[in-house]
Each structure stands twice: as structure tokens, then as C-alpha cells.
Amino acid sequence: MTYYLLRLLAKLIPGGARRQRFIEWARPRFSVQAIVDIALADRLEPIERAIYRTQSVEAPLTLTIDETLDALIDGRSI
């Protein structure tokens, strides 16, 4: 809501470039989308830390086609 009020007030600023700079300054600070993004980021940060902290599983070993065929010939299972 504040962002839209600032957009209305921006019409009073003389000069298109100055008006546009003001709008670009206000958008990331006062738009609803920016406020929601900040709130979500604050909520997601501890969750992401917990997820990355608990991931201790190593990535599986990926073989090339030739290495896979050699392993099958040697009797290893896939």
C-alpha cells in the first residue's frame, strides 16, 4: 500500500528521470512483493540451514559407458 501511495506522490516530482529514480528506489523497499520476499527469506533461511546441515550423504559414483561395461564383464552388478 505504501508503495502505491509513493507512486502517486512520484507524479509530483518534476522530470521523468528523477521520477523514475524515485520509483526504482521505492519499489524494492515498499512494494508488497518485496515485503513478502523478505518475510519468506527470513522464514526459509533456518529451514535451508537445517536441510543443508543434515545432508551428509555423498553423491553416487557415476561411471562412463566403458567403465560400466568393464564392471559388468568383471562380474560386478549394477
Side-chain angles (χ1 to χ4, degrees), residues 42-61:
D42 290 344
R43 294 280 192 170
L44 288 178
E45 185 179 342
I47 296 170
E48 289 174 346
R49 268 190 276 137
I51 290 171
Y52 292 127
R53 192 175 339 136
T54 58
Q55 288 182 346
S56 60
V57 178
E58 294 181 17
L61 177 64

Side-chain angles (χ1 to χ4, degrees), residues 2 6 9 12 19 26-27 29 32 34 41 46 61-62 68 71 74:
T2 305
L6 290 172
L9 290 175
L12 300 174
R19 186 178 315 115
R27 183 178 296 127
R29 289 168 180 80
V32 173
L61 177 64
T62 305
T68 304
D74 293 340

Side-chain angles (χ1 to χ4, degrees), residues 4-78:
Y4 298 108
L5 292 173
L6 290 172
R7 291 252 341 197
L8 287 173
L9 290 175
K11 292 181 180 182
L12 300 174
I13 298 173
R18 292 177 67 193
R19 186 178 315 115
Q20 188 61 33
R21 278 197 312 264
F22 177 78
I23 292 171
E24 289 173 4
W25 169 84
R27 183 178 296 127
R29 289 168 180 80
F30 299 107
S31 70
V32 173
Q33 183 65 42
I35 293 168
V36 169
D37 289 344
I38 291 168
L40 286 177
D42 290 344
R43 294 280 192 170
L44 288 178
E45 185 179 342
I47 296 170
E48 289 174 346
R49 268 190 276 137
I51 290 171
Y52 292 127
R53 192 175 339 136
T54 58
Q55 288 182 346
S56 60
V57 178
E58 294 181 17
L61 177 64
T62 305
L63 302 174
T64 65
I65 294 174
D66 292 332
E67 292 171 336
T68 304
L69 292 175
D70 290 339
L72 288 173
I73 291 171
D74 293 340
R76 292 173 46 196
S77 65
I78 297 179

